[in-house]
Structure formats: structure tokens, C-alpha cells
Amino acid sequence: MSGSSSVYLAQLFSKGTGDADYTKDQEENKGATSWPEFYIDQLNSMAAVGILSVLQLTRKSLLALEKEEEEERSKTIESLKTALRTKPMRFVTRFIDLDGLSCILNFLKTMDYETSESRIHTSLIGCIKALMNNSQGRAHVLAHSESINVIAQSLSTENIKTKVAVLEILGAVCLVPGGHKKVLQAMLHYQKYASERTRFQTLINDLDKSTGRYRDEVSLKTAIMSFINAVLSQGAGVESLDFRLHLRYEFLMLGIQPVIDKLREHENSTLDRHLDFFEMLRNEDELEFAKRFELVHIDTKSATQMFELTRKRLTHSEAYPHFMSILHHCLQMPYKRSGNTVQYWLLLDRIIQQIVIQNDKGQDPDSTPLENFNIKNVVRMLVNENEVKQWKEQAEKMRKEHNELQQKLEKKERECDAKTQEKEEMMQTLNKMKEKLEKETTEHKQVKQQVADLTAQLHELSRNKLEGTVWTEIDDTKVFKVLDLEDLERTFSAYQRQQKEADAIDDTLGSKLKVRELSVIDGRRAQNCNILLSRYC
């Protein structure tokens, strides 16, 4: 053993190799493992020496570490894992209060490659798993800002047992409220950490890779499928079909379906159960999604079918012009195989993804593809812009209607003025007619009064004139029997008098031939007699 290795062991375990001075300390500290402080000190020492080994020791010296040293370190961490699982709750509480979780995470972040491929790595993940077996420890792990991300980093190891333990923790976290999104964010963190092209790429590679060790291989593939099913069915995926379709399509684009078909060849009942659950959930979701378009199945591998369904859905809608505009500008999108133009399509893809999965509150159940991109706020701005446009159009329409109404009002006012003037003229005419009527009525009354007075005078005059004449001795009843009143009326009627005079003028010569009637009284008295006789007609 080299001198450097001796220093390394001394720093790790703080014990001698046979010196009497250390024997007494060992005897006194046999019960030290009952206290969290002991394990925290050991973890800090391991992490510090791990950094030192990376910075100062050569690869040759690292490989020279004896198997016994690794076993001792592994035993210490295994002991901590057992203590976290079996000790009273006050031990776990004390470990949490002393920030023991940060010590474990710090060790995971700083360990070298050999340590990451050893049992020590597996035991450290086992410590976190044991800490999460109770509600207090689980809440502490989830509340830590880096815990899930650091745990996810352990997927980079080639140690299958470590990977299985990590996947079991991440799958369990998906079941905890608020944990699902943390896991998705951790996988995005791992994408950057491992330089993956896309998220979940390592998982699909491990799912497809064959190691030649059946038991370990099936164990890892079962853990991966269990984790994938937890990611798809938990969190927002419990209720949101769109979210499940969104995540599943990410796996399908990585080629998971051919891998699943290949995994059937293992003929392992546990693995097949996870494969069956994946395909069952997929078939149910795709059937429900196809019902939106009144179909049984949608071929998401066919760009033609997806385009036709989108076009048919938007035809004769207000969104269709915008859809056509999107297609038009997609044709104009710059593209060069060797350039960064693919990022334009990535940006468009992420915007559409965020539109689909972001909820009404502007929250993303998945890690946000675009930071500070709140779809709800953007839509509200577009709605406000559209409302302003509608208000302007409505104001313009109202202005035109106002002008039309103003013109109609002016026309009605002119008609009203004409009607008023006509009314005034009619009133003037009516007043004149009224005055004329009143005047004629007055004149009529006066004439009537004059006629009455004249009649009274005539009666009086008739009585005075008849005295001492033959008319006083005539019996009216006898005379009426003898007189031809109709002939008398025709002869002396005032209405026919002018006609008779006209006939007399026309028959001037003929009248001389007529026999003249002989009157025994003078003409004046004859007229009075006619007037008197007319009263009895």
C-alpha cells in the first residue's frame, strides 16, 4: 500500500492498524454507530477524500486501493442504510436535523468513476430509499432543492443494481403529490448532465440494450418499464388525456414500440405485465383521442392523415385562415442541413406543446419548454387586441349608423316642417271657412228673420187687404176641392218660372194663338191669392 493510500484510509475511518493508542478509542466508540453524527462525519470524510483523489491521485493509485478498503466503506454506508430503516424515529429526525441528506447528496456528486461503479454507490442510493420509507424523511427529500436531480444523475452508472434502485425511487416519487413534476424536471436535468439528444434517451437505450446476463437484464428492463408507466399514468396524467398523449409521443418518437415488441421475447411474466399495462393504456387513450374526430384509429406516423384531420377540423372556421398562414410561413421557414435552422422547428414544436399541456392557470404539469411563456397571458393579450379591433369595427359601424340616422332625422324634420306648414295652411283655410260659415249662418239667420218678419207683415197685410173683398166670403174647403193644386203648382212654382219664361220667349208667336184667360181681378190681387193658396198646398 502506498503512503497516499494510507493517508486516504486514515482520513476515511480515523482508526489505527494496530497502534495501542487507537485501540482504546475503538473500544470507547463501539456504540458510536448509534448516533447520526458518526455516519455524517464518515460521509463528509468520504466525500472530501473523493475530491482529493480526483484532484491529486493518479489513476494508478486509485486502482491500487485494496478490496478491503472498499468493503469497509461499503459496510459503513450499509450500516447507515440499516439504521435509517430500523432505528427509532428520533434517529431519523436527528439525521435530518444534522443535514445528513446533503452529506449523502454531496458524496454522490463528488465520487469518482470507480466509486460510482461500486457497491458504495448502490448503498448510498439505498440510504436515500430508506430515508424515504417514512413520511418525515420523504417530505424532507422532496423539499430539498437538489435531491431528485442528484438521484437522477446516478442513472449514468453502468451498475445495474444502482440503476434499478434509482428508478424505483423516481417511480415512487411520481406517486407523491407534487413529485411527478419534480421527476420530469430531473429527467430534463439528466438530459443536460448526460448530453442526451432528447429526454429519456438513456432509458430507451438501456431498454433496448442486451447485456447477456438474463436476470440483471430483465430486472433493469422491468424497472424501466415500471418507471415509464408511472410517468405516463401519474401526476397530470391521471386526468389529462392530452398530457398522457404528449408524454407517450415523446417515448414513441424514441422508438419504444419496436423495443417493446422485442422485449416480449424474454417471456418474463413480471416484465410482460408492465408491457401489457403500457399497451393497454396506449390503446385506450388512442381510441378516446380518435373519437374526437369520429374515428376508430389515428395513424400518428402518417403526416398526411394528421394534416387532413387538422384541415377538416378547421375548415369553415375562423381559425382556418390562421392555419393556412401557419402552413404558408412554414414553407418559408429557412432550412439548412448544416445550420442552426432546426432550432426554429424546435421552437415551434415547444410553443405548440406548451399550448396543449399548459392549464388554464398558466401552470405547466411538465417542465416548461419555454421560460416565462404563459399561454394564458399571451391569449389574453390577443383577445384584448381582438376586442380592441372589434370595438373599432363596432365604433365605425355605429358611426355609420349614426350618420344614417342623422340623415333620416333631418329628412323627417324636413317632412315635419312641411307637414307643419301644410297644417298651418289648412288651419288658415279652416278658419276662413269657419268665418265664412259663421258669416253665412249669421246672414241665414238674418234672412230667416227677415222672411219671418215679412211673412208676418204679409199675413197682417193680407188680412187688412181682404176685408171688404170677395175673398172673405170664399170657403177654403170648397175651393180646395175645386182647385187643381198640381196644375197650380206647375203654373206658379218659383223653380219652374224661369223655364216657363224661356218657353214663353221661344214661343212668342205661338202664344199669341193661345186663348187668353180672362181675369176678374187685377194682377196684384191675383198674386196675393196665389201666395195665400200656396200655404194650403
Side-chain angles (χ1 to χ4, degrees):
M1 182 184 296
S2 64
S4 299
S5 297
S6 299
V7 173
Y8 180 70
L9 290 176
Q11 290 177 336
L12 282 179
F13 303 109
S14 300
K15 67 177 185 177
T17 57
D19 194 329
D21 293 339
Y22 290 96
T23 303
K24 185 177 179 180
D25 292 338
Q26 283 182 329
E27 291 295 330
E28 292 177 355
N29 292 323
K30 282 184 178 179
T33 56
S34 299
W35 298 97
E37 289 86 345
F38 168 77
Y39 295 104
I40 292 175
D41 289 341
Q42 294 298 314
L43 288 171
N44 288 332
S45 298
M46 292 178 192
V49 173
I51 296 174
L52 181 65
S53 67
V54 173
L55 296 177
Q56 298 179 354
L57 301 181
T58 65
R59 180 174 178 82
K60 182 177 179 180
S61 63
L62 289 173
L63 293 175
L65 290 176
E66 297 178 359
K67 188 70 174 178
E68 182 181 354
E69 299 172 358
E70 181 181 334
E71 289 293 331
E72 289 295 330
R73 296 161 68 191
S74 179
K75 284 181 181 180
T76 302
I77 298 174
E78 280 290 329
S79 177
L80 172 61
K81 181 177 72 173
T82 303
L84 290 171
R85 188 172 63 250
T86 60
K87 290 288 184 181
M89 193 62 198
R90 62 177 179 273
F91 179 90
V92 177
T93 303
R94 180 64 178 167
F95 183 80
I96 293 173
D97 292 341
L98 293 173
D99 205 11
L101 176 61
S102 295
C103 295
I104 296 176
L105 297 176
N106 187 49
F107 191 5
L108 288 172
K109 289 190 295 183
T110 58
M111 62 184 175
D112 53 53
Y113 176 78
E114 281 75 15
T115 305
S116 68
E117 298 299 328
S118 68
R119 291 170 52 192
I120 297 175
H121 192 176
T122 308
S123 298
L124 286 170
I125 297 298
C127 289
I128 298 177
K129 189 175 179 180
L131 183 62
M132 295 180 68
N133 279 338
N134 60 81
S135 58
Q136 184 177 355
R138 185 165 54 249
H140 181 65
V141 172
L142 291 175
H144 197 283
S145 59
E146 291 185 316
S147 60
I148 307 301
N149 287 349
V150 175
I151 293 171
Q153 288 178 189
S154 296
L155 290 172
S156 61
T157 182
E158 295 297 326
N159 190 319
I160 292 179
K161 290 184 178 180
T162 303
K163 282 189 175 183
V164 170
V166 170
L167 290 169
E168 288 176 349
I169 292 176
L170 295 179
V173 171
C174 288
L175 306 177
V176 180
H180 187 269
K181 186 173 181 179
K182 285 181 174 293
V183 170
L184 294 178
Q185 290 173 338
M187 296 309 298
L188 192 62
H189 167 79
Y190 181 76
Q191 177 187 350
K192 299 176 181 178
Y193 175 80
S195 300
E196 292 181 319
R197 181 175 58 86
T198 60
R199 186 171 59 171
F200 304 120
Q201 184 178 355
T202 298
L203 293 180
I204 302 302
N205 292 340
D206 288 340
L207 195 64
D208 187 43
K209 185 167 57 177
S210 177
T211 63
R213 293 175 292 177
Y214 178 82
R215 186 172 181 179
D216 290 343
E217 186 175 321
V218 170
S219 176
L220 176 59
K221 296 180 188 305
T222 302
I224 292 174
M225 285 305 305
S226 176
F227 170 72
I228 291 174
N229 287 332
V231 168
L232 292 174
S233 61
Q234 299 302 314
V238 174
E239 297 180 353
S240 175
L241 170 64
D242 291 324
F243 184 73
R244 294 195 299 272
L245 292 171
H246 156 73
L247 278 183
R248 186 181 295 108
Y249 196 74
E250 194 170 343
F251 287 106
L252 292 174
M253 291 292 289
L254 288 170
I256 191 174
Q257 190 59 52
V259 175
I260 288 177
D261 297 337
K262 180 180 175 181
L263 292 178
R264 295 288 185 184
E265 298 175 1
H266 288 284
E267 296 182 352
N268 181 276
S269 59
T270 304
L271 177 59
D272 287 344
R273 187 164 60 251
H274 290 288
L275 298 177
D276 292 340
F277 181 81
F278 177 87
E279 292 187 336
M280 179 193 71
L281 192 62
R282 178 187 177 184
N283 292 334
E284 290 178 353
D285 289 346
E286 289 183 351
L287 179 60
E288 184 179 352
F289 181 59
K291 287 181 179 179
R292 295 181 180 179
F293 301 88
E294 300 179 354
L295 297 174
V296 178
H297 176 71
I298 297 176
D299 185 5
T300 53
K301 295 180 181 179
S302 172
T304 302
Q305 185 180 12
M306 290 191 290
F307 169 78
E308 285 298 325
L309 288 174
T310 306
R311 184 191 62 80
K312 182 179 179 181
R313 189 179 191 181
L314 298 180
T315 301
H316 306 304
S317 71
E318 294 181 357
Y320 189 75
H322 302 291
F323 172 66
M324 293 299 295
S325 177
I326 291 173
L327 295 178
H328 176 74
H329 288 90
C330 282
L331 292 175
Q332 294 179 284
M333 192 88 76
Y335 179 75
K336 294 180 181 179
R337 292 183 181 275
S338 59
N340 294 326
T341 54
V342 68
Q343 303 302 324
Y344 300 149
W345 296 97
L346 176 61
L347 174 62
L348 182 61
D349 182 24
R350 289 185 175 181
I351 290 174
I352 296 176
Q353 285 185 36
Q354 201 154 343
I355 291 173
V356 172
I357 66 175
Q358 195 172 87
N359 59 28
D360 295 337
K361 297 180 180 179
Q363 300 172 345
D364 295 289
D366 195 355
S367 55
T368 306
L370 299 172
E371 295 183 1
N372 301 322
F373 186 68
N374 190 308
I375 300 298
K376 186 176 181 181
N377 292 340
V378 174
V379 171
R380 187 185 295 113
M381 290 172 60
L382 293 175
V383 170
N384 292 338
E385 180 181 342
N386 188 43
E387 288 180 352
V388 171
K389 182 179 179 181
Q390 291 179 351
W391 290 340
K392 288 182 178 179
E393 292 177 352
Q394 188 174 1
E396 181 65 20
K397 182 179 179 181
M398 292 180 66
R399 188 184 64 79
K400 291 180 179 179
E401 291 179 353
H402 174 73
N403 292 337
E404 292 177 357
L405 291 174
Q406 187 69 27
Q407 293 176 359
K408 290 180 179 180
L409 179 61
E410 292 175 355
K411 182 179 179 181
K412 290 294 183 182
E413 287 179 349
R414 290 194 299 269
E415 292 178 354
C416 184
D417 292 340
K419 293 291 184 182
T420 302
Q421 185 176 359
E422 183 180 352
K423 179 182 177 182
E424 292 176 354
E425 292 176 354
M426 290 181 65
M427 289 300 296
Q428 292 177 358
T429 304
L430 287 175
N431 291 333
K432 290 179 179 180
M433 292 178 64
K434 183 178 179 182
E435 292 176 356
K436 183 178 180 181
L437 182 59
E438 290 177 351
K439 182 178 180 182
E440 290 179 349
T441 301
T442 303
E443 292 177 351
H444 177 71
K445 289 180 179 180
Q446 292 177 353
V447 170
K448 187 176 180 181
Q449 185 64 36
Q450 292 176 358
V451 170
D453 294 342
L454 181 60
T455 303
Q457 293 177 3
L458 182 60
H459 281 287
E460 184 65 27
L461 179 61
S462 298
R463 285 194 296 270
N464 295 333
K465 293 293 183 178
L466 288 177
E467 291 180 1
T469 65
V470 71
W471 296 103
T472 57
E473 298 176 359
I474 294 175
D475 187 356
D476 294 340
T477 58
K478 292 180 180 181
V479 172
F480 285 140
K481 292 179 180 180
V482 176
L483 288 175
D484 186 355
L485 297 178
E486 293 180 359
D487 181 61
L488 184 63
E489 183 178 359
R490 284 194 300 270
T491 303
F492 297 100
S493 175
Y495 176 76
Q496 295 182 359
R497 186 173 183 179
Q498 294 178 355
Q499 183 66 31
K500 289 182 179 180
E501 290 178 354
D503 293 340
I505 295 171
D506 293 335
D507 299 331
T508 51
L509 296 175
S511 61
K512 295 181 178 180
L513 300 176
K514 289 183 180 180
V515 178
R516 291 187 178 181
E517 293 181 0
L518 182 61
S519 177
V520 294
I521 57 175
D522 57 21
R524 193 170 189 181
R525 288 187 177 182
Q527 184 178 2
N528 292 336
C529 289
N530 288 333
I531 293 173
L532 178 62
L533 292 175
S534 65
R535 293 174 57 192
Y536 298 96
C537 294

